[in-house]
Amino acid sequence: MAAMAGVSCSSSSTLSTLRKSFTSNSPIFPSFHSLLPQIPKPLSLKTVNPNFKPFLPRRFSSAVSATVDSAEVRQSLKTRLKNGETLYGIFLLGFSPTLAEIAGLAGYDFAVVDMEHGHGGISDALPCLHALAATQTPAILRIPESSATWAKKALDLGPQGIMFPMIDGPKSARKAVSYCRFPPNGVRGSAHTVVRASSYGIDEGYLSNYEDDLLIMCQVECVDGVKKIDEIAAVEGVDCIQMGPLDLSASLGYLWDPGNKKVKEMMNTAEKGVLKKKPHDGGAYLSGFAMPHDSPENLKSRGYHMVSGAVDIVLFRNAAVEDVKKFKMSLAKGFEDDDDQKDHKDGEEKYWSE
């Protein structure tokens, strides 16, 4: 036992010596902390984006009121719309979490993860929602079709908004709303105790507030839909009408000419149909895409409440094409400069040879 005690004391002494050596500043044993890389203090989100404010759902407000200044909590999309703000967003079709995060840091008010025309589905959308959540940017999911199954899977991910395509009348609009609500008010399947929307069951107030927090958007993009757009906007639960200019131009026979006069007239008719009744009087907000012939500023001036002015793939495509074009032009210019210098040199040689 004594021998074992001696070993124990010796081990303890050795550990103590090592500990002192690693924290000393001697040339033989430099400070352990000095071996660590010096990591610069990271930029805060407020430094990158001065308008950044974290978003916290209404149901979490009381829980964090003691630690988070209420003035610094970002309001939900529905609250900001009710306050009269015009919101500017981006569509994400590439399903890149990195681009989603950059979009959030850039300061977009919302981002639409597009499962209708983008290649991805639910499992591809989730990482983008994670990236957007990291920047506290509200996410809207556009589903491929207006169905209970797609709506259920999308809503379980917990987006702030959901967009239903090809809504052509009040009947299809009422169905869309029913897909977003649990029985008896709707037909949405329930797994609220385990899905992301309820913070995997941690958020005990989810069922009490989910309807208030969710922005339901119905996309009108055909002639029949425009004819009934005021009825669609008046459906209880429909918060916003999203215009679809490309599909609308196709339904009019002008697929390759969305800027056609007849398409513009139909768009104006649709816009007036939505705007003639205020949202707080039973109407809906108006949302739309910017087009080459119809800028974000033009949409805002016509009364749009939500404007999508960019698409991740288009931004990258334009930047890539311009980058290659710039380099190719520099090469061509370089060849011209070389020819000019050669002609100039030949001229000089001829001059001196004379």
Side-chain angles (χ1 to χ4, degrees):
M1 292 294 291
M4 291 181 67
V7 172
S8 176
C9 291
S10 176
S11 298
S12 176
S13 175
T14 302
L15 288 173
S16 177
T17 302
L18 285 173
R19 187 180 297 111
K20 288 180 180 179
S21 68
F22 272 110
T23 57
S24 71
N25 291 315
S26 69
I28 300 176
F29 295 107
S31 171
F32 174 74
H33 295 289
S34 68
L35 300 177
L36 296 175
Q38 296 300 310
I39 302 175
K41 184 177 180 180
L43 292 174
S44 69
L45 287 175
K46 283 189 176 181
T47 304
V48 178
N49 176 15
N51 297 320
F52 170 81
K53 288 182 181 180
F55 166 76
L56 290 170
R58 184 177 348 193
R59 53 188 179 272
F60 286 149
S61 297
S62 59
V64 298
S65 59
T67 56
V68 179
D69 184 352
S70 60
E72 292 298 311
V73 176
R74 175 182 262 184
Q75 296 174 321
S76 68
L77 292 176
K78 290 180 76 169
T79 299
R80 295 180 68 186
L81 288 169
K82 288 177 182 177
N83 291 341
E85 292 188 51
T86 301
L87 306 181
Y88 187 64
I90 184 173
F91 267 64
L92 303 175
L93 276 73
F95 288 86
S96 164
T98 299
L99 293 183
E101 186 176 25
I102 291 172
L105 292 172
Y108 286 103
D109 295 313
F110 63 90
V112 179
V113 180
D114 189 1
M115 296 187 290
E116 182 187 13
H117 291 295
H119 67 271
I122 294 295
S123 59
D124 303 291
L126 181 57
C128 293
L129 265 63
H130 287 156
L132 292 169
T135 65
Q136 299 296 338
T137 302
I140 297 171
L141 288 179
R142 179 159 77 163
I143 56 180
E145 62 180 21
S146 183
S147 70
T149 300
W150 271 106
K152 174 176 58 180
K153 293 182 74 66
L155 292 173
D156 281 351
L157 294 187
Q160 267 202 48
I162 184 169
M163 188 182 297
F164 292 91
M166 289 293 178
I167 300 300
D168 58 5
K171 183 178 180 180
S172 58
R174 281 191 289 269
K175 283 186 177 181
V177 173
S178 75
Y179 301 154
C180 300
R181 295 179 175 173
F182 296 115
N185 300 322
V187 297
R188 178 182 172 188
S190 177
H192 62 275
T193 57
V194 295
V195 297
R196 183 175 185 268
S198 65
S199 298
Y200 305 101
I202 296 173
D203 177 11
E204 296 178 355
Y206 175 70
L207 291 180
S208 301
N209 299 288
Y210 78 94
E211 289 186 21
D212 296 329
D213 292 335
L214 180 65
L215 184 73
I216 298 177
M217 306 177 72
C218 289
Q219 191 163 347
V220 174
E221 42 194 340
C222 65
V223 175
D224 289 340
V226 172
K227 291 178 179 178
K228 301 175 182 177
I229 199 165
D230 55 337
E231 298 178 57
I232 297 172
V235 170
E236 192 276 327
V238 173
D239 298 303
C240 187
I241 299 297
Q242 171 77 41
M243 294 306 303
L246 286 178
D247 280 308
L248 180 58
S249 65
S251 72
L252 288 168
Y254 298 100
L255 177 61
W256 299 104
D257 188 14
N260 187 277
K261 180 180 178 180
K262 291 184 178 180
V263 179
K264 289 182 179 180
E265 290 174 351
M266 187 64 71
M267 285 287 291
N268 288 334
T269 299
E271 293 162 2
K272 291 177 181 178
V274 176
L275 296 173
K276 71 179 181 180
K277 184 179 285 190
K278 301 294 183 182
H280 60 267
D281 290 329
Y285 298 102
L286 181 62
S287 179
F289 303 98
M291 300 286 287
H293 63 275
D294 202 5
S295 69
E297 293 76 15
N298 287 341
L299 295 182
K300 181 180 182 299
S301 68
R302 297 205 302 274
Y304 278 76
H305 305 97
M306 298 177 73
V307 177
S308 296
V311 179
D312 58 348
I313 289 176
V314 174
L315 290 176
F316 181 77
R317 179 200 68 194
N318 291 348
V321 170
E322 182 60 29
D323 182 56
V324 173
K325 179 181 177 182
K326 182 179 178 181
F327 183 75
K328 297 296 185 181
M329 290 179 66
S330 71
L331 290 179
K333 188 175 184 301
F335 291 142
E336 292 177 359
D337 291 343
D338 290 343
D339 290 341
D340 291 342
Q341 292 177 5
K342 183 178 179 180
D343 292 342
H344 181 67
K345 185 177 181 180
D346 290 343
E348 286 182 346
E349 289 177 351
K350 184 176 180 181
Y351 173 80
W352 288 111
S353 66
E354 292 177 347

